[in-house]
Amino acid sequence: MAASLPLAYCKRRLAITWLIGAGLPFLLLVVQTLIGHYGDTAQQVWSWFLASVTPTIGLIVAVLATEALQQVAGDRPVDAFFYRLSLGLSIFYLLLIWLVLLITPVSPVGLPQMIQDSAAWLGAMQGFVTAALGVFYVKKK
Amino acid sequence: MQRQNEGLLRRFVALRHLFVVAALLLTLLPACSKMETVSSPPGAEPAMTVIGHAPPAKARADGVAEEKANKEEAIKPASGGAGTAAQEGSPASTGSPDAVGYEVDSEKKSKAMPPRPKPVPASPPVAAKNGGSSKAKKAAAPARGFPWPPPQPSSLRVLQTSLLAAASGKTLGDLDRVLTDALDQIGYTDRSYFTIPGGYVLVTRLEGIEPDGTPKAGEERWSSGPPAADSFTLSNYFAALFSAKPGLYRVIVFAITPQPFQATGKPPTAAQTQDWLSRGYNVLPPQVATLRYTDEVACTALIYEFEKAPAGTAQIKQPGRIPAQQHLERNRLVSVLGG
């Protein structure tokens, strides 16, 4: 395997992972909210979900949008191991969000309580993921 | 070409990882389904967390402050009559070290209650009988109680006197026996009592009901959590994931007093209603049981209805979905009492 990968390639792969990984639970929440599954806790659930994914998705989309209109000079190589690590952390984080949403029907703990309980470990994971993705999406001269 | 092959290889490796994780999740989910839904005790509801209302500690603190301020007041019934001296609803008259009376909101009290005579220091007959003024002093500090005037219910109904005719002309203790015998027959075995001006309040347990007011069958009637699935299947799981059918619950509170009252504006939460059940007396205090059941005494059924979305919290319904009379007919109380 190659020891380095093009930065543009890494950005696109990570963007696709995040858009799919966050877009599907977004769609699920929209359907559940429209049918009244969450009742009075809908706002709390959306606040939690959007706080979990919006910062990263916003960063990814903003950077890609900026680069779409600019001619990027060259394509810097990125350590392949670091790319795989970032991708793995992103997938793991998104799966944790999926887990919170999908395990509720079979868990005796209600979703509001589960959201409160997950704040600690999701918050920590979000920090790791953001730090890793910052390498790919923060502009450096 | 080599680069394309590398790309394909990377995609394959990534897909392989995803399949492994998905397989792990699918094996874990059946194991989770074997966890039995714990039927929550009345005082603790992990599956029905109530958000948004201040915990009862503040109400308790306010109630204690109010009770201390109103310690010397004796609230007499408007009609008077026999046994007036014993009809002091003040917690000081209960004669018990752990007096559980009622919490009176002074602001709302002035709006809700008719003007009362100048308060007179209570002279509890029970304490006098026991011959101990020290006991009366010990009993003068009630801990906490049922909010009076009561919180606004979803609906209410004054029971027809003909339904309680078996106790007519007797005492409130006889009335309580008639009522509790009927409640036992229809399943309301968990109860608690609070004293109020001129009478008492009887609180029943939170129960699950159907949309027409019929109590749910089996364990679902008294469980505040989601119903346990018989088996884990994908169809059951997706049905639970996309369920929108709300759970319906109610608490029935019987207020027996000769004094007319107006319910206060702030409705209770489901957790508060369960708190009432665990806080009250286990039996009707004897000093209330000996009060006369006169024609002025009314038995009012206050119905507190709650609705809970599948993944939401219980919210009180005001007004209720169905009238109070239908609640009392559907749970067979009216028929058991002979109506």
Side-chain angles (χ1 to χ4, degrees):
Chain A
M1 289 189 183
S4 62
L5 296 167
L7 180 62
Y9 171 85
C10 299
K11 281 183 180 178
R12 289 188 195 115
R13 287 292 181 272
L14 288 169
I16 290 169
T17 302
W18 268 91
L19 287 172
I20 294 175
L24 290 176
F26 183 89
L27 195 61
L28 173 68
L29 281 178
V30 167
V31 171
Q32 289 180 319
T33 304
L34 289 176
I35 64 175
H37 180 76
Y38 290 113
D40 60 302
T41 59
Q43 192 174 1
Q44 184 184 3
V45 173
W46 275 106
S47 299
W48 163 80
F49 177 75
L50 292 175
S52 301
V53 301
T54 304
T56 309
I57 296 274
L59 172 67
I60 291 172
V61 172
V63 169
L64 290 178
T66 305
E67 291 180 352
L69 298 175
Q70 290 176 354
Q71 198 169 4
V72 178
D75 204 2
R76 284 180 287 164
V78 174
D79 182 22
F81 171 76
F82 187 76
Y83 160 70
R84 292 187 202 108
L85 179 67
S86 302
L87 185 64
L89 284 173
S90 298
I91 292 172
F92 183 69
Y93 178 72
L94 291 167
L95 283 175
L96 287 177
I97 294 176
W98 270 102
L99 188 67
V100 171
L101 292 174
L102 295 181
I103 207 168
T104 308
V106 295
S107 170
V109 178
L111 185 58
Q113 184 63 38
M114 201 175 292
I115 287 174
Q116 290 181 14
D117 295 342
S118 70
W121 35 273
L122 271 183
M125 277 305 304
Q126 190 175 26
F128 296 144
V129 171
T130 306
L133 293 182
V135 171
F136 299 93
Y137 292 99
V138 173
K139 189 174 181 181
K140 289 179 182 175
K141 294 183 183 178
Chain B
M1 184 66 179
Q2 187 181 359
R3 201 165 175 173
Q4 279 180 358
N5 288 339
E6 284 177 1
L8 282 171
L9 185 62
R10 276 195 290 273
R11 284 196 201 99
F12 173 74
V13 170
L15 277 172
R16 189 183 66 182
H17 290 322
L18 276 173
F19 276 127
V20 167
V21 172
L24 277 172
L25 278 175
L26 283 173
T27 52
L28 280 174
L29 279 172
C32 290
S33 72
K34 288 180 185 175
M35 293 189 303
E36 288 184 11
T37 301
V38 176
S39 179
S40 305
E45 303 176 354
M48 191 157 80
T49 310
V50 180
I51 302 175
H53 190 79
K58 184 175 183 302
R60 277 205 296 277
D62 291 340
V64 170
E66 280 292 343
E67 291 298 356
K68 284 181 182 173
N70 297 328
K71 196 163 64 174
E72 299 297 325
E73 288 188 15
I75 299 171
K76 297 181 180 170
S79 59
T84 303
Q87 282 195 359
E88 294 163 353
S90 163
S93 68
T94 55
S96 169
D98 297 320
V100 179
Y102 56 91
E103 297 175 353
V104 179
D105 187 335
S106 59
E107 290 182 4
K108 293 169 182 171
K109 178 176 66 174
S110 60
K111 294 177 190 174
M113 303 295 289
R116 290 192 302 275
K118 186 178 178 181
V120 175
S123 175
V126 176
K129 279 183 187 175
N130 291 338
S133 59
S134 60
K135 283 188 181 178
K137 286 180 185 174
K138 281 184 186 177
R144 50 196 184 269
F146 185 83
W148 193 259
Q152 190 176 2
S154 304
S155 56
L156 65 84
R157 176 85 166 101
V158 179
L159 295 186
Q160 296 166 328
T161 51
S162 57
L163 294 176
L164 302 168
S168 181
K170 298 181 182 176
T171 64
L172 292 189
D174 296 314
L175 173 64
D176 178 61
R177 268 187 287 277
V178 170
L179 192 56
T180 52
D181 285 346
L183 291 175
D184 283 339
Q185 289 183 48
I186 56 177
Y188 294 94
T189 53
D190 290 2
R191 301 182 287 264
S192 70
Y193 295 86
F194 295 86
T195 56
I196 58 172
Y200 67 96
V201 153
L202 191 153
V203 178
T204 62
R205 182 173 171 166
L206 183 76
E207 64 172 332
I209 59 174
E210 302 293 348
D212 67 347
T214 307
K216 285 193 171 176
E219 292 179 355
E220 286 188 36
R221 182 177 181 185
W222 304 114
S223 171
S224 57
D230 294 331
S231 61
F232 177 81
T233 61
L234 277 179
S235 58
N236 287 347
Y237 175 75
F238 283 113
L241 192 63
F242 293 102
S243 168
K245 187 179 175 185
L248 303 174
Y249 304 86
R250 73 176 164 217
V251 170
I252 305 178
V253 175
F254 296 94
I256 293 94
T257 175
Q259 296 183 5
F261 59 86
Q262 286 176 302
T264 58
K266 193 171 183 182
T269 62
Q272 278 182 312
T273 61
Q274 289 309 97
D275 209 32
W276 298 338
L277 186 72
S278 57
R279 282 180 171 185
Y281 278 120
N282 59 333
V283 292
L284 185 63
Q287 56 271 23
V288 178
T290 54
L291 299 178
R292 294 279 298 171
Y293 177 40
T294 61
D295 291 339
E296 288 81 16
V297 175
C299 177
T300 308
L302 304 159
I303 313 288
Y304 295 93
E305 270 187 64
F306 297 93
E307 188 172 298
K308 177 182 173 294
T313 58
Q315 299 292 307
I316 193 160
K317 290 288 293 180
Q318 283 181 334
R321 293 165 65 102
I322 55 177
Q325 179 67 18
Q326 188 170 340
H327 281 287
L328 300 176
E329 286 172 355
R330 289 286 188 264
N331 68 0
R332 299 190 303 115
L333 180 64
V334 173
S335 60
V336 168
L337 284 174

